[in-house]
Amino acid sequence: MFKRILIANRGEIAVRVFRACREMDIEPVAVYSQADREALHVQLAERAYCIGPARSADSYLNMDAILTVARAAGCDAIHPGYGFLSENADFADACQTAGIAFIGPSGDVIRAMGNKAAARALMRKAGVPVVPGSDGAVDTAQQAQAIADAIGYPVLIKAAAGGGGRGMRRVYEPAQLKALFEEARGEALACFGDGEMYLEKLILRPRHIEFQIMADREGHVIQLGERDCSIQRRNQKLLEESPSRALTPALREEMGKAAVAAARAAGYENAGTVEFVVDQEGHFYFIEMNTRIQVEHPVTELTTGLDLVREQIRVAAGLPLSVSQEEVFFRGHAMECRINAEDPAHGFRPSPGKVGFLHLPGGFGVRVDTGLYPGCELPAYYDSLMAKIIVYAPTRLEAIRRMRRSLEELIVEGPAANTDLLHQILYHPDFVRGNYNTGFLEEHLDTLLTWSGSGEEVEQ
Ligand code: ADP
């Protein structure tokens, strides 16, 4: 087993990985930017190294600085968390060259899944259903026009290197296509330095359903059930739950098998997520595979009782998975809310700054993953995620009630937060019935921001 792991991240996920290391008797080593000197992950660590100025490009994305620290501190592995270098194939390769284990899949696998147009092609070959669309990359607006005419409008223009909902445009009419294609490509170039585009049919009012998978070096691949991540704003997830109300047992089984087939086709190792959209008729389509631990992984940890970060570390150290598929048991219902430092009443504008008084929820069935502490500073340089509240209960309705009361207990003085919006979602009759899709938030936003739905209850 590893002796010392460098955690190449910050915020709640750095804290999360720290905890796994400590429980495994592995020494965690922190790195931080100048804006994060006082951050919780730095305070928890016995060893912490500054890797550069606040800007991510100068610190958390600085491969050389991170590898230099890893060597100097005698680390035998690096955990990248999510975001930053977690899906950077060159970084995974550089770790390998340096003789340091990268806790994730190989650079080649990351590269293969990182190009979403190529990943689609690979999945189709493996018999995993993909959204109807282009065969690989689309180079020009004219080409896009021809493909869109063939598959039918509306279509979705996507960036092959895309992530975080960037470089993506919905096109409802042929007349819009050329301008939106150029716009999407411009955004993709600016965000990812890569203007490769592809086309998919826009599935109307789909559910976003993803499957957690885990694979080891010996070729064992297991799936750990689904997460329904259909509560999204601008293609960014806000609330996730498992199991999904949208799946029948038969569909769940079929999708679970497809997720395992996808991982096998990719020659996968470590933790990964196979993402699908499910249309109104219950057809499912692969959209992408994320080759890292996800923000919403605790949902799966609560329904399966498996520590996914621990499992990641074990697998990277060459150990087999600690359970077989037959030994995975799903129980109860889990739900996660992302508490973001943003102001929904003012166009969700980011709200960094100093946190004053802080009270986090707790009690039976409640888990909070956060880098917050009273008096901490939220730098403006990074994402707005402040905390994740994850609840577990035997049934969905009990989980909803537990989440409502958890949000009611939360007090974060200082930055604006999206807590009230989440609370309103948890009272919306359609949400309570489990009757929602990726259009839910946009459709109901005005009502959710002004309405006070608390107190009433609908039948599930
Ligand atoms: P990113 O990597 O940028 O997050 P994804 O391919 O994962 O992009 O898609 C993000 C979100 O966009 C999905 O969760 C879903 O809500 C929506 N989406 C993606 N592809 C389609 C599609 N073909 N039809 C409808 N919605 C889609």
Side-chain angles (χ1 to χ4, degrees), residues 138-141 144 156-159 165-171 175-199 234:
V138 177
D139 298 327
T140 63
L156 190 60
I157 302 168
K158 293 174 103 171
R166 301 296 194 83
M168 210 189 274
R169 291 290 183 281
R170 298 172 192 182
V171 188
Q176 305 172 306
L177 192 124
K178 191 173 182 330
L180 290 170
F181 184 85
E182 299 307 341
E183 202 180 294
R185 180 152 60 188
E187 191 172 296
L189 273 168
C191 294
F192 317 112
D194 182 345
E196 186 178 328
M197 308 305 290
Y198 67 107
L199 225 65
R234 302 208 169 149

Side-chain angles (χ1 to χ4, degrees), residues 116 131 156 158 162-166 168 198 200-203 206 208 232 235 275 277 287-288 438:
K116 290 160 64 170
V131 188
L156 190 60
K158 293 174 103 171
R166 301 296 194 83
M168 210 189 274
Y198 67 107
E200 280 180 0
K201 194 164 175 64
L202 180 73
I203 306 295
H208 171 115
Q232 304 183 347
N235 302 319
E275 296 193 336
V277 283
I287 51 171
E288 69 164 338
T438 58

